[in-house]
Structures are given as structure tokens and as C-alpha cells.
Amino acid sequence: MNPLVPKLALKIKETFEEEITIEGQGRIKKNAIFQVLRSLRYELAKDLGGPVYCRYPGYTDDDKADCSDPGPFKVMEYLIDFSISRHKIPEAICDDRAVPPMQTGRFELLLAAESELGGDADVCRDLLKLLIVRSHIRCMLFMKRRSIARWTEFKLRIIRTMKNHASFDEGKDDWLFVELEKANGRCSCVVYTLGDGYSDLVEV
């Protein structure tokens, strides 16, 4: 297992459980999920190198040094719900407003994530997006299934969906699967990755 996978899994679990609260019967808000994923940028920068930037719909530019497109650029979704990249898109596309321009290294996604809190088909449809995107780590977030039978069926569907896709590389891909659950106004989660043989999800 890539040693970065358990580091990120631990950070995800700690941040969800410590920082995310849910009012009344409310749903887990996507913006809260994105804030948790945003906290992973330090681990990614430490292990994979920077400069590191994140992007997601509704991002507010309150941390220009680490995680933004400052200045005249609007931070927008890029391909998937959430991503953390090395370098900024304006630098990668040689925008004249990118100051300074990219001098060393190349643009790439370090983390790509999709958050789908609906049914099995919706999750697997978004999983296809992650399979298309090239990234060091891919992360799929979904709600807990309420019975062992449903969870077993859902896991098998995830595995089948991945193996049905021509871009799935069993020997190289690093994945995180984050199972979210609401309980007593808080959000807890279990994080999984692909097990040996890529035939099951195993807890990290």
C-alpha cells in the first residue's frame, strides 16, 4: 500500500469527526465535505511536493498562500467535484495574468474527489469520472448503507464498475473510499481502499 493512503485516511477521519456538525435532521453539506478534503493539502505537499492548490465550487479565498487562485482568477470546478493540484490552471494554460508564470515542474492532479450522497447508481456514475481522471490519489465519498447485505452488494457494484473501465489499472491506482454516517449531530466516517487482488474494499 502506498504509505500516503493511510496518512490521508487518518486525516479524513479525524477532521470529519472533530469539525463537522449537522443541525437537526439536516444533511451533510457538500461544502463541509470539501473543507475536510481541503485539509489534506499539507500531507500531499509534504509527500508529493508543491506548490499545491485546491479547487471546488463555492471556494472562498481565505488562504492565498496555500490553496487558491488569487488575484483576478475565479476558482471553479475542474472536471470533478474537488481537486488538489500541483500548480494552478492559469499557469498550466499560459494565461498572461499568471504571475509569476510556471517555471519548474508540471501541472498535475494530486487528489481527485467525487462526493455523491445518493443511490448506488449515482455513486457508480460519478466513479466513472474518477476513473477517467489521472491523479495520484482518487477519492469517492458516499453515505453508509444500512444493512450488511446492502453494503456487500454496493461494494461488489463498485468493484465491477471499476473493472469494467479501460482506464482502471489494478497495479498502480491508489484509491480512498469514504463512507459517511450521521449520528447525534456529528459526522463519522470509515475509510476504505482496494484490497489485495482488487476484489474488495478494506478498511484503512
Side-chain angles (χ1 to χ4, degrees):
M1 181 188 296
N2 182 341
L4 183 55
V5 168
K7 290 181 187 177
L8 297 179
L10 178 61
K11 183 65 175 176
I12 288 170
K13 286 187 280 191
E14 290 178 345
T15 309
F16 265 115
E17 292 169 7
E18 291 173 7
E19 298 187 12
I20 304 303
T21 58
I22 304 165
E23 296 181 5
Q25 298 299 312
R27 300 184 63 183
I28 301 171
K29 295 181 179 178
K30 280 210 171 186
N31 195 57
I33 292 172
F34 296 150
Q35 289 296 326
V36 172
L37 295 174
R38 183 171 174 263
S39 71
L40 303 179
R41 65 197 188 281
Y42 299 116
E43 290 289 349
L44 289 162
K46 189 189 311 178
D47 279 62
L48 300 176
V52 168
Y53 299 90
C54 71
R55 56 196 312 110
Y56 56 90
Y59 174 72
T60 55
D61 186 7
D62 59 359
D63 191 359
K64 290 186 178 182
D66 294 309
C67 189
S68 68
D69 274 344
F73 301 113
K74 182 180 179 182
V75 178
M76 297 181 292
E77 181 178 329
Y78 177 63
L79 300 177
I80 31 83
D81 284 347
F82 178 96
S83 62
I84 295 178
S85 65
R86 181 183 292 114
H87 293 293
K88 295 178 286 188
I89 289 175
E91 296 171 342
I93 64 174
C94 306
D95 193 304
D96 291 339
R97 296 170 295 166
V99 179
M102 193 162 63
Q103 300 291 333
T104 60
R106 294 183 179 183
F107 175 89
E108 63 178 329
L109 294 185
L110 305 181
L111 177 81
E114 279 287 320
S115 171
E116 176 50 65
L117 307 184
D120 295 5
D122 296 322
V123 172
C124 289
R125 191 176 293 113
D126 279 359
L127 189 58
L128 292 179
K129 298 180 190 178
L130 289 179
L131 285 157
I132 292 168
V133 172
R134 294 181 65 179
S135 180
H136 282 260
I137 306 285
R138 296 176 178 90
C139 180
M140 186 75 231
L141 300 100
F142 48 82
M143 294 301 294
K144 180 181 177 68
R145 270 48 188 170
R146 291 299 177 184
S147 71
I148 294 175
R150 284 280 295 111
W151 171 233
T152 300
E153 178 185 348
F154 181 46
K155 284 193 297 179
L156 290 174
R157 187 167 180 177
I158 286 174
I159 296 296
R160 287 199 305 269
T161 299
M162 297 177 76
K163 291 188 174 183
N164 283 341
H165 200 289
S167 297
F168 179 54
D169 189 334
E170 294 187 4
K172 296 181 180 178
D173 291 348
D174 289 313
W175 288 82
L176 292 168
F177 299 89
V178 182
E179 178 189 57
L180 303 173
E181 182 177 20
K182 297 187 299 181
N184 301 317
R186 309 293 297 182
C187 178
S188 63
C189 69
V190 179
V191 183
Y192 302 88
T193 192
L194 291 168
D196 292 338
Y198 302 92
S199 59
D200 198 4
L201 304 185
V202 295
E203 188 173 347
V204 182

